[in-house]
Every structure is written in C-alpha cells, then in structure tokens.
Amino acid sequence: DIQMTQSPSSVSASVGDRLTITCRASQDVGNSLAWFQQKPGKAPKSLIYGASRLQSGVPSRFSASGSGTDFTLTISSLQPEDFATYYCQHHKSYPLTFGGGTKVEIK
Amino acid sequence: EVQLEESGGGLVQPGGSLRLSCAASEFILSDHYMDWVRQAPGKGLEWVGRTRNKANSYTTEYAADVKGRFTISRDDSNNSLHLQMNSLNIDDTAVYYCVRNAKGDYYFDLWGQGTLVTVSS
C-alpha cells in the first residue's frame, strides 16, 4: 500500500498568514493526488485534484503543486473560514489512501 | 441541487449487519465511479471501497479490512448506491460518506453529509 505522510500534523496561524502543508507519498503517484478540507462536524470538501487543479468554486488563494512523491498545498492569505483540517489522498492504485491530516488552528 | 444523501446508519451489535444507502439528486449515478469513505470518531479518513460506473460493469474494489464483509451495490431505478455491511466489529464504528468521482475520471468531487454507524454491545 502507498503511505501518505502529511506535515505538520497541526499548525497555529493568524488571519492573513501564508501557509504551506506538505504531503509525501511512499511511492510515485504521478499527479494522482487530491486535497480535501474538513471543518468540525462536517463532511470533507474537495479542493484540489490532479495535484494542482482547483475544484470549481474553490478560492484562488488556494494553490497546490508537486508530482511523483512530494506535494504541497498553499493558502496565500489565511481567512477565518480556512481554519480546518486538510487531507491529501492519492488515487494512483488500490487501496486509495489518505494522509493523517493537518489541523490548521487560529493563533 | 446536485447532492448525495446517506441514510441507514445506527446502533448495531458486534457481529450484526447494516445496510447504508446513498441517494443521488440532480445527476445520473450510473455515469460515475462511486466510493465509500469512513471516519472513526476523532480519526482521519479511510477509504472503504469503490464501484466503477455502468460503462465499466459496476465492478468493485475494497479495502483489505472490509473485503469479504462489505458489499457495494447500486439501484439504477432509484439512482442510489448501497453498502451492505456484515460481521460488524467495534472498529467499524465511524461516519460513512458516499463520494462521487468526476464524470469520466477518478478523483472525488462531491461528498455526502455522512451517516454514523456505531457498533457496540
């Protein structure tokens, strides 16, 4: 199975900060990488697919990059509604696996 | 509104069975690959299984932990998806989400709101 490792597992940041989350795959997943946002008590929301493509309706302050084994999700200027947990996931092969999550908290 | 709505969760004893349903609105479910993903209380996301679209004969894939116990099926007449869960154990306690893949592709684009399954004596 492909293991997905996210870092950091949690981070405190302020509104307006630039934030980068990393995700590393244990094997090459090409660009078969997605990012999700989940707020407490809510279902996840799809943010990014194909490693760098924004889902429809996702604000442009979100961006992502990477291929192969190393990926990043960046929020250029944190907004109050961005405080949430973020997960990466590969869909290169079965089983699909998720990273452990990065919780973004307000400083 | 395009959406997915799960139902069927509840309390079940260890060793019991439960059937979850996922109703699709405003799109044709058979055109899409569909997945089930679960989340144990306070934990991260875990993939459960997938059914391919009608063009790919609705074939299925499962996570090792549920293979042989869980079965994904569809009901085209009701535009719905099902997850039959047998031989449930405490570790299956989770919120279960049905998730749509983008049409013609293999990435998640739409999540249901989830349904809670609690396995306890």
Side-chain angles (χ1 to χ4, degrees), chain B residues 6-21 36-42 48 66 69-70 82-98 113-121:
Chain B
E6 300 93 337
S7 60
L11 176 64
V12 60
Q13 291 188 335
S17 298
L18 207 59
R19 186 183 191 231
L20 306 184
S21 297
W36 288 94
V37 172
R38 67 184 180 183
Q39 186 170 35
V48 172
V66 307
R69 299 189 299 123
F70 290 12
H82 303 285
L83 179 66
Q84 177 67 42
M85 303 185 295
N86 299 330
S87 303
L88 285 161
N89 58 61
I90 292 173
D91 292 340
D92 295 317
T93 295
V95 174
Y96 285 74
Y97 297 100
C98 68
Q113 87 287 350
T115 188
L116 176 62
V117 173
T118 303
V119 184
S120 175
S121 55

Side-chain angles (χ1 to χ4, degrees), chain A residues 38 43-44 46 49 55 91 94, chain B residues 39 50 97 106-108 111-112:
Chain A
Q38 187 178 34
S46 296
Y49 68 97
Q55 291 272 4
H91 52 93
Y94 299 106
Chain B
Q39 186 170 35
R50 164 173 287 178
Y97 297 100
Y106 318 109
Y107 60 86
F108 296 173
W111 295 68

Side-chain angles (χ1 to χ4, degrees), chain A residues 41-60:
Chain A
K42 300 295 187 182
K45 173 186 174 184
S46 296
L47 293 179
I48 302 286
Y49 68 97
S52 61
R53 301 184 177 191
L54 264 64
Q55 291 272 4
S56 175
V58 174
S60 59

